[in-house]
């Protein structure tokens, strides 16, 4: 099980890093989540190409959710994607959750998108959800990133 929530209180649960954990708190097993992504996301990406009848070689950029560097490098290697086609912002911004794909587009693709281009977007995470999309673009305008 990847996410467990128990409703009974158990005073014997450990105190971890100064946090008191009880059965009323949700718990995510990071290792199981990690393994889930490595197992399911490559299948989803392959199925997206198969169902769309679109060739992987026609993608100009693959923009993945920026969960962590290892996970994205694994996906690139497993799917035999050219690293030059996979912009990354994990070292600059960390895991920014649901905005990691737009941040990566704004930060890494500005000035690199002219004419017709095909983007492959792949998000995964919260609630064990995942989705992929092939986005054809034409003369895409990318704004400046604004930090507040």
């Amino acid at each position: 099980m990847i996410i467990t929530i128990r409703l009974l209180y158990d005073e014997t649960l450990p105190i971890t890093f100064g946090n008191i954990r009880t059965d009323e708190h949700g718990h995510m097993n990071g290792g199981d989540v990690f393994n889930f992504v490595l197992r399911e996301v490559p299948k989803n990406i392959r199925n997206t190409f198969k169902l769309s009848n679109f060739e992987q070689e026609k993608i100009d950029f693959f923009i993945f959710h920026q969960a962590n560097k290892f996970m994205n490098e694994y996906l690139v290697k497993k799917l035999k994607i050219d690293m030059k086609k996979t912009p990354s912002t994990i070292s600059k911004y960390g895991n920014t959750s649901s905005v990691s794909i737009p941040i990566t587009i704004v930060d890494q693709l500005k000035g690199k998108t002219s004419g017709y281009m095909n983007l492959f977007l792949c998000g995964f995470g919260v609630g064990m959800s995942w989705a992929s999309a092939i986005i054809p673009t034409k003369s895409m305008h990318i704004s400046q990133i604004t930090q507040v």
Side-chain angles (χ1 to χ4, degrees):
M1 180 174 280
I2 295 172
I3 297 176
T4 59
I5 298 175
R6 287 174 247 133
L7 299 176
L8 300 174
Y9 179 75
D10 180 353
E11 293 177 349
T12 64
L13 290 172
I15 297 174
T16 309
F17 302 110
N19 296 315
I20 299 173
R21 303 284 182 200
T22 72
D23 283 341
E24 294 174 348
H25 293 100
H27 169 76
M28 188 177 335
N29 185 327
D32 285 351
V33 172
F34 187 80
N35 290 331
F36 169 84
V37 169
L38 298 184
R39 183 181 67 246
E40 295 301 324
V41 171
K43 285 192 257 183
N44 173 261
I45 293 170
R46 285 189 196 101
N47 283 338
T48 301
F49 283 112
K50 183 178 177 181
L51 293 171
S52 66
N53 225 9
F54 202 92
E55 297 174 19
Q56 181 172 324
E57 295 75 30
K58 291 185 179 179
I59 298 295
D60 295 292
F61 291 103
F62 291 80
I63 298 101
F64 296 121
H65 165 55
Q66 302 292 294
N68 66 58
K69 185 179 176 185
F70 175 82
M71 201 174 286
N72 287 353
E73 287 176 351
Y74 174 86
L75 294 172
V76 166
K77 184 177 178 180
K78 177 97 175 168
L79 297 162
K80 298 178 177 142
I81 299 170
D82 183 350
M83 277 298 285
K84 293 176 189 169
K85 290 184 169 191
T86 57
S88 176
T89 55
I90 194 76
S91 63
K92 187 172 183 178
Y93 299 106
N95 182 342
T96 57
S97 189
S98 60
V99 297
S100 69
I101 291 173
I103 284 176
T104 301
I105 291 171
V106 171
D107 189 77
Q108 295 293 302
L109 298 188
K110 185 157 185 68
K112 297 180 183 178
T113 57
S114 59
Y116 290 96
M117 298 190 81
N118 296 307
L119 304 180
F120 189 95
L121 312 181
C122 181
F124 43 86
V126 177
M128 304 314 297
S129 58
W130 64 99
S132 294
I134 297 169
I135 310 291
T137 67
K138 179 184 176 192
S139 301
M140 184 168 65
H141 172 76
I142 299 176
S143 300
Q144 293 288 347
I145 196 162
T146 302
Q147 296 182 16
V148 289

